[in-house]
């Protein structure tokens, strides 16, 4: 894509979606909601609930609560299953949670009710939502604030919608806003077959036309990374990676390292960075936070960049919302596409968690709820 077209794409304003498709029995006019006599929505919905740490989630009936004025009720069709969900139910998450609660924060569905002050969404509209504060995505319904929802075209599949926003927006901010990659850049992505890593490969290779080297755990996963657009992909071995980087970059090193692993891999791949290169710290899949001597950054004038999408929600909400708008637009244009390695039903949350714990997943795992 030409640079000017890409810059225009990444400055798209928020979309406003209105739909005349209302739930049966409901009529809506601006500022007024009417309910046809004798017709009402169900007062309960099914959800997968964690009652105690160490136990399986139980699917049970939940009572619907009244909306606040800036909230939206969404009929959830699909919900992403993320590594953080597993950490939450295993009581290993860095945020204190108290059971009972319904996990799941990355949803795609249809609006079924809006609060009195909601302006940009209407019943029947298809939406993507991220609810890392309130969770609740492993359910037939979820309540989110308007500011945590994005309208999407009805042609976007629910499962792809639930696999798109979190990882792709994180990768977009890191690669575009912070590292400023372009078609002349070389990018090394660790954990390249994971949800975040594969999103980084997809964006860097297919949108920015950068030369990407992907590093992952197995040869099968390396093949997937190549299919997604990487110039080269290989199973991690420090000497092999260093040799491949020298080969691809003519000995200069990569311009950007996108790391979501941490641990030893983070420290070992620093030798691959080029002069004035950037190292993006996007996560710690190894669950080991690396320690680095700042003197290691001096010889090549290396920039170390921290990256958290959740932080942008609070610190710079306009950038946060725009990043997700941009990846939605890119997906609708066919420039990017999440890879979904497995789909499970609401009753199969335990199986979905085991699939992740056993490192069988590539890309994203999704619950199909409706």
């Amino acid at each position: 894509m030409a640079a000017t077209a890409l810059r225009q794409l990444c400055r798209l304003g928020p979309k406003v979606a209105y739909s005349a498709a209302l739930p049966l029995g409901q009529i809506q006019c601006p500022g007024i909601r009417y309910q046809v006599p004798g017709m009402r929505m169900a007062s309960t919905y099914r959800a997968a609930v964690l009652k105690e740490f160490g136990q399986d989630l139980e699917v049970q009936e939940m009572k619907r609560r009244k909306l606040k004025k800036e909230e939206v009720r969404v009929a959830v069709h699909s919900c992403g299953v993320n590594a953080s969900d597993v950490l939450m139910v295993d009581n290993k998450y860095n945020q204190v949670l108290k059971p009972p609660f319904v996990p799941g924060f990355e949803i795609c569905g249809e609006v079924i009710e809006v609060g009195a002050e909601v302006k940009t969404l209407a019943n029947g509209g298809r939406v993507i939502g991220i609810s890392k504060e309130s969770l609740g995505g492993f359910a037939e319904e979820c309540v989110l604030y308007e500011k945590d929802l994005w309208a999407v075209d009805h042609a976007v599949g629910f499962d792809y919608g639930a696999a798109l926003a979190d990882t792709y927006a994180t990768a977009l901010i890191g690669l575009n806003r912070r590292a400023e990659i372009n078609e002349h850049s070389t990018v090394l992505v660790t954990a390249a077959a994971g949800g975040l890593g594969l999103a980084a490969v997809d964006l860097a290779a297919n949108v920015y036309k950068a030369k990407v080297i992907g590093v992952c755990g197995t040869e099968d996963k390396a093949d997937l990374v190549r299919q997604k657009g990487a110039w080269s992909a290989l199973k991690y071995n420090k000497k092999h990676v260093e040799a491949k980087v020298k080969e691809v970059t003519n000995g200069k090193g990569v311009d950007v390292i996108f790391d979501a692993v941490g641990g030893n891999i983070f420290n070992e791949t620093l030798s691959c960075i080029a002069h004035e290169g950037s190292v993006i710290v996007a996560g710690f899949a190894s669950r080991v936070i690396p320690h680095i001597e700042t003197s290691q950054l001096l010889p090549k004038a290396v920039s170390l960049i921290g990256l958290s999408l959740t932080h942008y929600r609070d610190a710079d909400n306009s950038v946060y919302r725009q990043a997700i708008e941009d990846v939605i637009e890119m997906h609708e244009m066919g420039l990017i596409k999440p890879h979904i390695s497995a789909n499970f039903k609401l009753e199969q949350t335990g199986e979905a968690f085991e699939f992740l714990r056993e490192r069988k997943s590539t890309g994203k795992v999704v619950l199909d709820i409706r």
Side-chain angles (χ1 to χ4, degrees):
M1 174 180 288
T4 54
L6 184 60
R7 284 194 294 270
Q8 183 179 8
L9 174 63
C10 292
R11 291 187 181 129
L12 291 170
K15 291 180 287 186
V16 180
Y18 295 95
S19 174
L22 300 175
L24 184 62
Q26 187 168 313
I27 302 172
Q28 189 174 35
C29 296
I32 305 174
R33 184 178 293 106
Y34 299 94
Q35 197 74 27
V36 175
M39 301 289 287
R40 65 182 180 86
M41 293 186 290
S43 60
T44 63
Y45 60 94
R46 295 191 313 143
V49 183
L50 180 74
K51 293 185 175 180
E52 292 185 29
F53 292 119
Q55 293 186 359
D56 291 336
L57 276 67
E58 296 183 22
V59 177
Q60 64 182 53
E61 292 288 326
M62 301 284 287
K63 187 176 181 180
R64 173 180 282 168
R65 68 169 176 84
K66 185 177 179 180
L67 289 183
K68 297 178 182 177
K69 57 187 179 181
E70 64 279 349
E71 289 181 329
V72 178
R73 196 184 314 278
V74 178
V76 180
H77 284 253
S78 296
C79 183
V81 185
N82 293 282
S84 58
D85 297 315
V86 178
L87 294 174
M88 288 177 192
V89 301
D90 289 344
N91 198 19
K92 296 179 181 178
Y93 195 55
N94 55 11
Q95 176 183 334
V96 178
L97 297 168
K98 184 178 179 180
F101 64 86
V102 178
F105 67 83
E106 189 175 17
I107 63 108
C108 186
E110 294 179 306
V111 175
I112 54 175
E113 187 181 1
V114 297
E117 293 188 1
V118 172
K119 305 298 183 184
T120 63
L121 299 167
N123 291 359
R126 187 167 300 195
V127 290
I128 286 173
I130 296 182
S131 57
K132 291 188 177 182
E133 289 187 338
S134 58
L135 305 177
F138 291 3
E140 292 177 333
E141 294 182 9
C142 185
V143 174
L144 301 90
Y145 286 103
E146 180 183 17
K147 65 181 181 180
D148 291 322
L149 288 163
W150 290 260
V152 293
D153 192 276
H154 276 72
V156 174
F158 289 113
D159 54 349
Y160 287 112
L164 178 67
D166 187 56
T167 53
Y168 275 85
T170 301
L172 180 65
I173 290 174
L175 294 171
N176 178 34
R177 180 180 176 85
R178 301 303 309 279
E180 299 181 336
I181 69 168
N182 56 49
E183 66 271 21
H184 303 297
S185 302
T186 52
V187 182
L188 175 68
V189 180
T190 65
L196 182 54
L198 210 55
V201 171
D202 197 4
L203 281 166
N206 298 314
V207 175
Y208 294 96
K209 306 303 180 183
K211 188 174 288 187
V212 179
I213 302 171
V215 177
C216 45
T218 67
E219 291 298 335
D220 288 345
K221 291 181 178 180
D223 185 57
L224 171 65
V225 175
R226 284 188 290 269
Q227 291 176 32
K228 187 55 80 173
W231 180 271
S232 176
L234 62 161
K235 182 178 177 181
Y236 182 75
N237 175 289
K238 185 175 186 293
K239 291 183 178 179
H240 293 168
V241 172
E242 288 178 339
K244 180 58 68 175
V245 168
K246 287 181 180 179
E247 174 191 335
V248 172
T249 66
N250 295 319
K252 295 179 180 179
V254 294
D255 301 301
V256 177
I257 295 176
F258 189 96
D259 179 59
V261 179
N264 292 332
I265 291 179
F266 173 85
N267 288 302
E268 291 175 355
T269 54
L270 281 178
S271 61
C272 297
I273 197 70
H275 170 65
E276 293 191 337
S278 299
V279 180
I280 300 172
V281 181
F284 308 109
S286 66
R287 303 302 300 162
V288 178
I289 299 175
H291 296 279
I292 181 172
E293 298 288 339
T294 52
S295 58
Q296 292 177 255
L297 306 177
L298 299 181
K300 297 181 180 179
V302 176
S303 298
L304 192 62
I305 299 171
L307 180 59
S308 166
L309 186 65
T310 302
H311 172 76
Y312 272 93
R313 177 184 182 270
D314 300 325
D316 199 337
N317 192 259
S318 62
V319 170
Y320 171 74
R321 285 198 59 84
Q322 190 62 57
I324 296 178
E325 285 282 350
D326 288 342
V327 297
I328 290 171
E329 194 74 19
M330 291 175 189
H331 179 63
E332 291 176 350
M333 292 173 65
L335 298 174
I336 56 174
K337 184 178 181 180
H339 172 77
I340 299 173
S341 59
N343 297 70
F344 295 88
K345 299 297 183 183
L346 182 62
E347 294 80 8
Q348 297 176 306
T349 54
E351 296 170 43
F353 286 160
E354 284 307 306
F355 190 76
L356 284 168
R357 290 188 185 105
E358 294 173 8
R359 299 185 180 276
K360 294 180 179 179
S361 65
T362 52
K364 300 285 284 191
V365 174
V366 173
L367 288 185
D368 296 324
I369 296 173
R370 290 177 181 264

